[in-house]
mmCIF file of all heavy atoms in Angstrom:
data_model
loop_
_atom_site.group_PDB
_atom_site.id
_atom_site.type_symbol
_atom_site.label_atom_id
_atom_site.label_comp_id
_atom_site.label_asym_id
_atom_site.label_seq_id
_atom_site.Cartn_x
_atom_site.Cartn_y
_atom_site.Cartn_z
ATOM 1 N N MET P 1 -42.596 36.029 -43.198
ATOM 2 C CA MET P 1 -42.403 34.759 -42.511
ATOM 3 C C MET P 1 -42.619 34.906 -41.006
ATOM 4 O O MET P 1 -43.300 34.114 -40.405
ATOM 5 C CB MET P 1 -41.006 34.235 -42.825
ATOM 6 C CG MET P 1 -40.700 32.919 -42.205
ATOM 7 S SD MET P 1 -41.656 31.632 -43.000
ATOM 8 C CE MET P 1 -41.113 30.226 -42.144
ATOM 9 N N GLN P 2 -42.005 35.943 -40.436
ATOM 10 C CA GLN P 2 -42.134 36.139 -38.993
ATOM 11 C C GLN P 2 -43.567 36.497 -38.609
ATOM 12 O O GLN P 2 -44.025 36.131 -37.530
ATOM 13 C CB GLN P 2 -41.165 37.221 -38.522
ATOM 14 C CG GLN P 2 -39.729 36.774 -38.550
ATOM 15 C CD GLN P 2 -38.800 37.868 -38.041
ATOM 16 O OE1 GLN P 2 -39.227 38.968 -37.757
ATOM 17 N NE2 GLN P 2 -37.517 37.541 -37.939
ATOM 18 N N GLU P 3 -44.276 37.196 -39.495
ATOM 19 C CA GLU P 3 -45.665 37.553 -39.206
ATOM 20 C C GLU P 3 -46.534 36.298 -39.152
ATOM 21 O O GLU P 3 -47.436 36.190 -38.312
ATOM 22 C CB GLU P 3 -46.189 38.520 -40.256
ATOM 23 C CG GLU P 3 -45.471 39.862 -40.232
ATOM 24 C CD GLU P 3 -45.429 40.523 -41.602
ATOM 25 O OE1 GLU P 3 -45.912 39.930 -42.568
ATOM 26 O OE2 GLU P 3 -44.889 41.634 -41.672
ATOM 27 N N LYS P 4 -46.265 35.363 -40.040
ATOM 28 C CA LYS P 4 -47.023 34.120 -40.068
ATOM 29 C C LYS P 4 -46.772 33.323 -38.791
ATOM 30 O O LYS P 4 -47.711 32.786 -38.185
ATOM 31 C CB LYS P 4 -46.630 33.294 -41.293
ATOM 32 C CG LYS P 4 -47.442 32.046 -41.460
ATOM 33 C CD LYS P 4 -47.076 31.321 -42.745
ATOM 34 C CE LYS P 4 -47.920 30.076 -42.919
ATOM 35 N NZ LYS P 4 -47.591 29.348 -44.135
ATOM 36 N N ILE P 5 -45.524 33.256 -38.368
ATOM 37 C CA ILE P 5 -45.176 32.550 -37.129
ATOM 38 C C ILE P 5 -45.840 33.235 -35.942
ATOM 39 O O ILE P 5 -46.380 32.572 -35.047
ATOM 40 C CB ILE P 5 -43.642 32.489 -36.964
ATOM 41 C CG1 ILE P 5 -43.036 31.594 -38.029
ATOM 42 C CG2 ILE P 5 -43.278 31.969 -35.577
ATOM 43 C CD1 ILE P 5 -41.526 31.616 -38.083
ATOM 44 N N HIS P 6 -45.838 34.557 -35.928
ATOM 45 C CA HIS P 6 -46.451 35.309 -34.839
ATOM 46 C C HIS P 6 -47.947 35.015 -34.766
ATOM 47 O O HIS P 6 -48.514 34.821 -33.687
ATOM 48 C CB HIS P 6 -46.212 36.803 -35.039
ATOM 49 C CG HIS P 6 -46.680 37.644 -33.906
ATOM 50 N ND1 HIS P 6 -47.927 38.213 -33.875
ATOM 51 C CD2 HIS P 6 -46.071 37.997 -32.745
ATOM 52 C CE1 HIS P 6 -48.072 38.886 -32.763
ATOM 53 N NE2 HIS P 6 -46.960 38.776 -32.050
ATOM 54 N N LYS P 7 -48.608 34.964 -35.908
ATOM 55 C CA LYS P 7 -50.050 34.681 -35.951
ATOM 56 C C LYS P 7 -50.340 33.264 -35.465
ATOM 57 O O LYS P 7 -51.262 33.045 -34.678
ATOM 58 C CB LYS P 7 -50.572 34.872 -37.373
ATOM 59 C CG LYS P 7 -52.058 34.694 -37.486
ATOM 60 C CD LYS P 7 -52.554 34.970 -38.887
ATOM 61 C CE LYS P 7 -54.058 34.772 -38.953
ATOM 62 N NZ LYS P 7 -54.593 34.994 -40.282
ATOM 63 N N ILE P 8 -49.537 32.302 -35.921
ATOM 64 C CA ILE P 8 -49.722 30.908 -35.496
ATOM 65 C C ILE P 8 -49.528 30.781 -33.988
ATOM 66 O O ILE P 8 -50.306 30.110 -33.304
ATOM 67 C CB ILE P 8 -48.765 29.983 -36.266
ATOM 68 C CG1 ILE P 8 -49.184 29.902 -37.738
ATOM 69 C CG2 ILE P 8 -48.735 28.593 -35.643
ATOM 70 C CD1 ILE P 8 -48.187 29.184 -38.619
ATOM 71 N N MET P 9 -48.504 31.436 -33.453
ATOM 72 C CA MET P 9 -48.250 31.372 -32.013
ATOM 73 C C MET P 9 -49.396 32.000 -31.232
ATOM 74 O O MET P 9 -49.764 31.507 -30.159
ATOM 75 C CB MET P 9 -46.924 32.045 -31.675
ATOM 76 C CG MET P 9 -45.726 31.252 -32.121
ATOM 77 S SD MET P 9 -44.163 32.061 -31.753
ATOM 78 C CE MET P 9 -44.131 31.945 -29.986
ATOM 79 N N SER P 10 -49.980 33.052 -31.739
ATOM 80 C CA SER P 10 -51.114 33.689 -31.073
ATOM 81 C C SER P 10 -52.316 32.751 -31.023
ATOM 82 O O SER P 10 -52.975 32.612 -29.994
ATOM 83 C CB SER P 10 -51.507 34.977 -31.787
ATOM 84 O OG SER P 10 -50.471 35.917 -31.711
ATOM 85 N N VAL P 11 -52.590 32.103 -32.143
ATOM 86 C CA VAL P 11 -53.726 31.173 -32.203
ATOM 87 C C VAL P 11 -53.507 29.999 -31.255
ATOM 88 O O VAL P 11 -54.415 29.614 -30.511
ATOM 89 C CB VAL P 11 -53.952 30.694 -33.656
ATOM 90 C CG1 VAL P 11 -54.964 29.566 -33.705
ATOM 91 C CG2 VAL P 11 -54.392 31.846 -34.535
ATOM 92 N N VAL P 12 -52.306 29.436 -31.270
ATOM 93 C CA VAL P 12 -52.010 28.292 -30.407
ATOM 94 C C VAL P 12 -52.079 28.706 -28.939
ATOM 95 O O VAL P 12 -52.615 27.969 -28.096
ATOM 96 C CB VAL P 12 -50.631 27.696 -30.754
ATOM 97 C CG1 VAL P 12 -50.206 26.671 -29.726
ATOM 98 C CG2 VAL P 12 -50.663 27.080 -32.139
ATOM 99 N N GLY P 13 -51.581 29.871 -28.606
ATOM 100 C CA GLY P 13 -51.645 30.357 -27.228
ATOM 101 C C GLY P 13 -53.076 30.552 -26.766
ATOM 102 O O GLY P 13 -53.441 30.155 -25.657
ATOM 103 N N ASN P 14 -53.903 31.138 -27.617
ATOM 104 C CA ASN P 14 -55.308 31.336 -27.259
ATOM 105 C C ASN P 14 -56.027 30.005 -27.081
ATOM 106 O O ASN P 14 -56.826 29.841 -26.149
ATOM 107 C CB ASN P 14 -56.019 32.186 -28.320
ATOM 108 C CG ASN P 14 -55.570 33.628 -28.270
ATOM 109 O OD1 ASN P 14 -55.154 34.126 -27.244
ATOM 110 N ND2 ASN P 14 -55.653 34.297 -29.405
ATOM 111 N N MET P 15 -55.772 29.062 -27.963
ATOM 112 C CA MET P 15 -56.419 27.756 -27.854
ATOM 113 C C MET P 15 -55.971 27.032 -26.589
ATOM 114 O O MET P 15 -56.766 26.346 -25.953
ATOM 115 C CB MET P 15 -56.128 26.906 -29.092
ATOM 116 C CG MET P 15 -56.836 27.373 -30.336
ATOM 117 S SD MET P 15 -58.625 27.492 -30.164
ATOM 118 C CE MET P 15 -59.034 25.790 -29.864
ATOM 119 N N SER P 16 -54.726 27.179 -26.215
ATOM 120 C CA SER P 16 -54.238 26.555 -24.981
ATOM 121 C C SER P 16 -54.973 27.111 -23.767
ATOM 122 O O SER P 16 -55.341 26.361 -22.858
ATOM 123 C CB SER P 16 -52.736 26.782 -24.825
ATOM 124 O OG SER P 16 -52.033 26.127 -25.843
ATOM 125 N N ILE P 17 -55.182 28.406 -23.748
ATOM 126 C CA ILE P 17 -55.915 29.013 -22.642
ATOM 127 C C ILE P 17 -57.355 28.512 -22.609
ATOM 128 O O ILE P 17 -57.881 28.157 -21.548
ATOM 129 C CB ILE P 17 -55.862 30.553 -22.748
ATOM 130 C CG1 ILE P 17 -54.436 31.036 -22.488
ATOM 131 C CG2 ILE P 17 -56.842 31.204 -21.778
ATOM 132 C CD1 ILE P 17 -54.224 32.505 -22.763
ATOM 133 N N VAL P 18 -57.998 28.441 -23.758
ATOM 134 C CA VAL P 18 -59.386 27.966 -23.828
ATOM 135 C C VAL P 18 -59.486 26.519 -23.352
ATOM 136 O O VAL P 18 -60.354 26.175 -22.552
ATOM 137 C CB VAL P 18 -59.937 28.114 -25.264
ATOM 138 C CG1 VAL P 18 -61.250 27.396 -25.422
ATOM 139 C CG2 VAL P 18 -60.088 29.590 -25.621
ATOM 140 N N VAL P 19 -58.596 25.670 -23.823
ATOM 141 C CA VAL P 19 -58.614 24.260 -23.418
ATOM 142 C C VAL P 19 -58.345 24.141 -21.916
ATOM 143 O O VAL P 19 -58.981 23.333 -21.231
ATOM 144 C CB VAL P 19 -57.589 23.444 -24.237
ATOM 145 C CG1 VAL P 19 -57.405 22.053 -23.664
ATOM 146 C CG2 VAL P 19 -58.038 23.366 -25.688
ATOM 147 N N GLY P 20 -57.452 24.940 -21.388
ATOM 148 C CA GLY P 20 -57.177 24.916 -19.952
ATOM 149 C C GLY P 20 -58.390 25.310 -19.129
ATOM 150 O O GLY P 20 -58.710 24.658 -18.128
ATOM 151 N N VAL P 21 -59.096 26.345 -19.542
ATOM 152 C CA VAL P 21 -60.290 26.789 -18.811
ATOM 153 C C VAL P 21 -61.372 25.717 -18.872
ATOM 154 O O VAL P 21 -62.007 25.401 -17.858
ATOM 155 C CB VAL P 21 -60.795 28.134 -19.376
ATOM 156 C CG1 VAL P 21 -62.166 28.473 -18.831
ATOM 157 C CG2 VAL P 21 -59.805 29.245 -19.066
ATOM 158 N N VAL P 22 -61.590 25.140 -20.039
ATOM 159 C CA VAL P 22 -62.603 24.086 -20.180
ATOM 160 C C VAL P 22 -62.249 22.885 -19.298
ATOM 161 O O VAL P 22 -63.116 22.306 -18.640
ATOM 162 C CB VAL P 22 -62.739 23.674 -21.664
ATOM 163 C CG1 VAL P 22 -63.573 22.413 -21.813
ATOM 164 C CG2 VAL P 22 -63.350 24.815 -22.459
ATOM 165 N N THR P 23 -60.979 22.526 -19.249
ATOM 166 C CA THR P 23 -60.542 21.403 -18.430
ATOM 167 C C THR P 23 -60.805 21.673 -16.954
ATOM 168 O O THR P 23 -61.282 20.785 -16.229
ATOM 169 C CB THR P 23 -59.047 21.130 -18.660
ATOM 170 O OG1 THR P 23 -58.837 20.860 -20.045
ATOM 171 C CG2 THR P 23 -58.562 19.961 -17.836
ATOM 172 N N VAL P 24 -60.519 22.867 -16.495
ATOM 173 C CA VAL P 24 -60.761 23.212 -15.097
ATOM 174 C C VAL P 24 -62.250 23.153 -14.780
ATOM 175 O O VAL P 24 -62.662 22.601 -13.757
ATOM 176 C CB VAL P 24 -60.175 24.618 -14.786
ATOM 177 C CG1 VAL P 24 -60.672 25.124 -13.444
ATOM 178 C CG2 VAL P 24 -58.662 24.567 -14.805
ATOM 179 N N VAL P 25 -63.084 23.697 -15.653
ATOM 180 C CA VAL P 25 -64.530 23.711 -15.415
ATOM 181 C C VAL P 25 -65.080 22.283 -15.373
ATOM 182 O O VAL P 25 -65.849 21.935 -14.480
ATOM 183 C CB VAL P 25 -65.249 24.553 -16.498
ATOM 184 C CG1 VAL P 25 -66.742 24.369 -16.433
ATOM 185 C CG2 VAL P 25 -64.885 26.019 -16.339
ATOM 186 N N VAL P 26 -64.679 21.454 -16.312
ATOM 187 C CA VAL P 26 -65.150 20.062 -16.338
ATOM 188 C C VAL P 26 -64.658 19.311 -15.109
ATOM 189 O O VAL P 26 -65.408 18.537 -14.502
ATOM 190 C CB VAL P 26 -64.709 19.371 -17.644
ATOM 191 C CG1 VAL P 26 -64.950 17.876 -17.587
ATOM 192 C CG2 VAL P 26 -65.432 19.975 -18.824
ATOM 193 N N GLY P 27 -63.434 19.540 -14.703
ATOM 194 C CA GLY P 27 -62.885 18.879 -13.523
ATOM 195 C C GLY P 27 -63.615 19.266 -12.254
ATOM 196 O O GLY P 27 -63.938 18.414 -11.422
ATOM 197 N N VAL P 28 -63.908 20.553 -12.097
ATOM 198 C CA VAL P 28 -64.627 21.023 -10.907
ATOM 199 C C VAL P 28 -66.044 20.463 -10.901
ATOM 200 O O VAL P 28 -66.528 19.983 -9.870
ATOM 201 C CB VAL P 28 -64.634 22.570 -10.847
ATOM 202 C CG1 VAL P 28 -65.586 23.072 -9.800
ATOM 203 C CG2 VAL P 28 -63.229 23.088 -10.583
ATOM 204 N N ALA P 29 -66.707 20.485 -12.039
ATOM 205 C CA ALA P 29 -68.074 19.960 -12.116
ATOM 206 C C ALA P 29 -68.083 18.463 -11.804
ATOM 207 O O ALA P 29 -68.953 17.987 -11.056
ATOM 208 C CB ALA P 29 -68.660 20.221 -13.502
ATOM 209 N N GLY P 30 -67.143 17.728 -12.336
ATOM 210 C CA GLY P 30 -67.057 16.293 -12.049
ATOM 211 C C GLY P 30 -66.792 16.019 -10.583
ATOM 212 O O GLY P 30 -67.382 15.113 -9.993
ATOM 213 N N GLY P 31 -65.919 16.790 -9.988
ATOM 214 C CA GLY P 31 -65.628 16.633 -8.560
ATOM 215 C C GLY P 31 -66.844 16.905 -7.693
ATOM 216 O O GLY P 31 -67.122 16.180 -6.737
ATOM 217 N N ILE P 32 -67.583 17.942 -8.020
ATOM 218 C CA ILE P 32 -68.792 18.272 -7.256
ATOM 219 C C ILE P 32 -69.817 17.145 -7.381
ATOM 220 O O ILE P 32 -70.433 16.736 -6.384
ATOM 221 C CB ILE P 32 -69.374 19.616 -7.727
ATOM 222 C CG1 ILE P 32 -68.445 20.748 -7.283
ATOM 223 C CG2 ILE P 32 -70.782 19.830 -7.182
ATOM 224 C CD1 ILE P 32 -68.803 22.096 -7.868
ATOM 225 N N LEU P 33 -70.006 16.638 -8.592
ATOM 226 C CA LEU P 33 -70.954 15.540 -8.780
ATOM 227 C C LEU P 33 -70.541 14.300 -7.997
ATOM 228 O O LEU P 33 -71.389 13.602 -7.428
ATOM 229 C CB LEU P 33 -71.085 15.211 -10.263
ATOM 230 C CG LEU P 33 -71.809 16.244 -11.117
ATOM 231 C CD1 LEU P 33 -71.726 15.862 -12.585
ATOM 232 C CD2 LEU P 33 -73.263 16.377 -10.688
ATOM 233 N N MET P 34 -69.250 14.004 -7.934
ATOM 234 C CA MET P 34 -68.785 12.846 -7.180
ATOM 235 C C MET P 34 -69.011 13.037 -5.687
ATOM 236 O O MET P 34 -69.403 12.097 -4.990
ATOM 237 C CB MET P 34 -67.312 12.583 -7.479
ATOM 238 C CG MET P 34 -67.071 12.081 -8.886
ATOM 239 S SD MET P 34 -65.335 11.789 -9.247
ATOM 240 C CE MET P 34 -65.059 10.335 -8.266
ATOM 241 N N ILE P 35 -68.781 14.230 -5.169
ATOM 242 C CA ILE P 35 -68.999 14.494 -3.750
ATOM 243 C C ILE P 35 -70.469 14.361 -3.400
ATOM 244 O O ILE P 35 -70.833 13.744 -2.388
ATOM 245 C CB ILE P 35 -68.454 15.900 -3.384
ATOM 246 C CG1 ILE P 35 -66.932 15.902 -3.450
ATOM 247 C CG2 ILE P 35 -68.947 16.328 -2.003
ATOM 248 C CD1 ILE P 35 -66.303 17.265 -3.350
ATOM 249 N N VAL P 36 -71.336 14.922 -4.235
ATOM 250 C CA VAL P 36 -72.776 14.840 -3.984
ATOM 251 C C VAL P 36 -73.236 13.380 -4.035
ATOM 252 O O VAL P 36 -73.997 12.920 -3.167
ATOM 253 C CB VAL P 36 -73.557 15.705 -4.997
ATOM 254 C CG1 VAL P 36 -75.042 15.433 -4.931
ATOM 255 C CG2 VAL P 36 -73.281 17.182 -4.737
ATOM 256 N N GLY P 37 -72.789 12.642 -5.050
ATOM 257 C CA GLY P 37 -73.166 11.230 -5.164
ATOM 258 C C GLY P 37 -72.682 10.405 -3.982
ATOM 259 O O GLY P 37 -73.413 9.567 -3.454
ATOM 260 N N GLY P 38 -71.461 10.628 -3.559
ATOM 261 C CA GLY P 38 -70.922 9.905 -2.404
ATOM 262 C C GLY P 38 -71.675 10.233 -1.122
ATOM 263 O O GLY P 38 -71.942 9.356 -0.298
ATOM 264 N N GLY P 39 -72.043 11.492 -0.962
ATOM 265 C CA GLY P 39 -72.826 11.887 0.214
ATOM 266 C C GLY P 39 -74.186 11.211 0.230
ATOM 267 O O GLY P 39 -74.646 10.758 1.288
ATOM 268 N N ARG P 40 -74.808 11.107 -0.916
ATOM 269 C CA ARG P 40 -76.117 10.429 -0.984
ATOM 270 C C ARG P 40 -75.973 8.943 -0.655
ATOM 271 O O ARG P 40 -76.820 8.370 0.036
ATOM 272 C CB ARG P 40 -76.723 10.593 -2.369
ATOM 273 C CG ARG P 40 -77.260 11.966 -2.613
ATOM 274 C CD ARG P 40 -77.922 12.040 -3.965
ATOM 275 N NE ARG P 40 -78.400 13.402 -4.226
ATOM 276 C CZ ARG P 40 -78.866 13.800 -5.381
ATOM 277 N NH1 ARG P 40 -78.929 12.962 -6.405
ATOM 278 N NH2 ARG P 40 -79.287 15.039 -5.533
ATOM 279 N N LEU P 41 -74.921 8.322 -1.165
ATOM 280 C CA LEU P 41 -74.705 6.902 -0.854
ATOM 281 C C LEU P 41 -74.495 6.693 0.644
ATOM 282 O O LEU P 41 -75.051 5.766 1.227
ATOM 283 C CB LEU P 41 -73.491 6.376 -1.623
ATOM 284 C CG LEU P 41 -73.692 6.102 -3.106
ATOM 285 C CD1 LEU P 41 -72.342 5.766 -3.742
ATOM 286 C CD2 LEU P 41 -74.671 4.992 -3.321
ATOM 287 N N LEU P 42 -73.705 7.543 1.265
ATOM 288 C CA LEU P 42 -73.463 7.404 2.700
ATOM 289 C C LEU P 42 -74.736 7.646 3.503
ATOM 290 O O LEU P 42 -74.979 6.994 4.514
ATOM 291 C CB LEU P 42 -72.367 8.376 3.144
ATOM 292 C CG LEU P 42 -70.957 8.035 2.671
ATOM 293 C CD1 LEU P 42 -69.985 9.141 3.060
ATOM 294 C CD2 LEU P 42 -70.512 6.705 3.226
ATOM 295 N N LYS P 43 -75.552 8.554 3.063
ATOM 296 C CA LYS P 43 -76.806 8.875 3.759
ATOM 297 C C LYS P 43 -77.793 7.716 3.680
ATOM 298 O O LYS P 43 -78.499 7.431 4.643
ATOM 299 C CB LYS P 43 -77.411 10.137 3.141
ATOM 300 C CG LYS P 43 -78.630 10.652 3.828
ATOM 301 C CD LYS P 43 -79.061 11.945 3.185
ATOM 302 C CE LYS P 43 -80.526 11.885 2.868
ATOM 303 N NZ LYS P 43 -81.014 13.098 2.233
ATOM 304 N N GLU P 44 -77.837 7.036 2.549
ATOM 305 C CA GLU P 44 -78.804 5.973 2.336
ATOM 306 C C GLU P 44 -78.313 4.583 2.726
ATOM 307 O O GLU P 44 -79.069 3.625 2.663
ATOM 308 C CB GLU P 44 -79.217 5.950 0.851
ATOM 309 C CG GLU P 44 -79.845 7.223 0.354
ATOM 310 C CD GLU P 44 -81.205 7.497 1.013
ATOM 311 O OE1 GLU P 44 -81.926 6.523 1.304
ATOM 312 O OE2 GLU P 44 -81.512 8.676 1.219
ATOM 313 N N ARG P 45 -77.091 4.439 3.182
ATOM 314 C CA ARG P 45 -76.548 3.109 3.464
ATOM 315 C C ARG P 45 -77.238 2.429 4.645
ATOM 316 O O ARG P 45 -77.281 1.228 4.741
ATOM 317 C CB ARG P 45 -75.057 3.175 3.677
ATOM 318 C CG ARG P 45 -74.657 3.850 4.960
ATOM 319 C CD ARG P 45 -73.169 3.868 5.136
ATOM 320 N NE ARG P 45 -72.876 4.724 6.284
ATOM 321 C CZ ARG P 45 -71.710 4.878 6.790
ATOM 322 N NH1 ARG P 45 -70.687 4.251 6.258
ATOM 323 N NH2 ARG P 45 -71.530 5.672 7.821
ATOM 324 N N ASN P 46 -77.804 3.211 5.575
ATOM 325 C CA ASN P 46 -78.470 2.627 6.722
ATOM 326 C C ASN P 46 -79.795 1.962 6.353
ATOM 327 O O ASN P 46 -80.317 1.157 7.105
ATOM 328 C CB ASN P 46 -78.729 3.698 7.791
ATOM 329 C CG ASN P 46 -77.430 4.203 8.385
ATOM 330 O OD1 ASN P 46 -76.437 3.486 8.426
ATOM 331 N ND2 ASN P 46 -77.433 5.452 8.804
ATOM 332 N N LYS P 47 -80.343 2.295 5.200
ATOM 333 C CA LYS P 47 -81.624 1.745 4.772
ATOM 334 C C LYS P 47 -81.473 0.380 4.086
ATOM 335 O O LYS P 47 -82.467 -0.264 3.778
ATOM 336 C CB LYS P 47 -82.325 2.715 3.843
ATOM 337 C CG LYS P 47 -82.709 4.014 4.517
ATOM 338 C CD LYS P 47 -83.405 4.937 3.559
ATOM 339 C CE LYS P 47 -83.729 6.250 4.267
ATOM 340 N NZ LYS P 47 -84.372 7.196 3.357
ATOM 341 N N LEU P 48 -80.257 -0.054 3.842
ATOM 342 C CA LEU P 48 -80.022 -1.331 3.176
ATOM 343 C C LEU P 48 -80.213 -2.491 4.150
ATOM 344 O O LEU P 48 -79.751 -2.458 5.282
ATOM 345 C CB LEU P 48 -78.612 -1.397 2.590
ATOM 346 C CG LEU P 48 -78.318 -0.494 1.410
ATOM 347 C CD1 LEU P 48 -76.846 -0.623 1.027
ATOM 348 C CD2 LEU P 48 -79.200 -0.833 0.233
ATOM 349 N N ILE P 49 -80.898 -3.513 3.675
ATOM 350 C CA ILE P 49 -81.087 -4.727 4.472
ATOM 351 C C ILE P 49 -80.548 -5.894 3.641
ATOM 352 O O ILE P 49 -80.942 -6.098 2.505
ATOM 353 C CB ILE P 49 -82.567 -4.948 4.788
ATOM 354 C CG1 ILE P 49 -83.111 -3.774 5.594
ATOM 355 C CG2 ILE P 49 -82.755 -6.270 5.543
ATOM 356 C CD1 ILE P 49 -84.608 -3.828 5.796
ATOM 357 N N PHE P 50 -79.630 -6.669 4.237
ATOM 358 C CA PHE P 50 -79.061 -7.808 3.527
ATOM 359 C C PHE P 50 -79.643 -9.084 4.055
ATOM 360 O O PHE P 50 -79.937 -9.295 5.153
ATOM 361 C CB PHE P 50 -77.532 -7.837 3.679
ATOM 362 C CG PHE P 50 -76.872 -6.742 2.912
ATOM 363 C CD1 PHE P 50 -76.422 -5.592 3.535
ATOM 364 C CD2 PHE P 50 -76.679 -6.867 1.542
ATOM 365 C CE1 PHE P 50 -75.810 -4.593 2.823
ATOM 366 C CE2 PHE P 50 -76.064 -5.859 0.811
ATOM 367 C CZ PHE P 50 -75.620 -4.730 1.463
#
């Protein structure tokens, strides 16, 4: 019984680490894309004529 619990806890712990790493990578990539997009918008705003 304890061996089964130990195995389940190991799997859940490993999956938590994997999900955490993926979340950080996606968050950083999204942040970089937003900064680049915002910079392009600010750079091109002078070309707008209303």
Side-chain angles (χ1 to χ4, degrees):
M1 181 70 179
Q2 289 182 355
E3 295 150 358
K4 185 176 181 180
I5 293 171
H6 186 267
K7 184 177 180 181
I8 291 171
M9 288 179 69
S10 296
V11 171
V12 171
N14 288 333
M15 289 304 297
S16 295
I17 291 172
V18 169
V19 169
V21 169
V22 169
T23 302
V24 167
V25 169
V26 169
V28 169
I32 290 171
L33 289 173
M34 290 179 72
I35 290 170
V36 169
R40 286 184 182 171
L41 284 172
L42 289 174
K43 185 176 131 180
E44 300 293 326
R45 70 179 171 174
N46 293 332
K47 295 180 182 178
L48 291 176
I49 299 173
F50 289 101

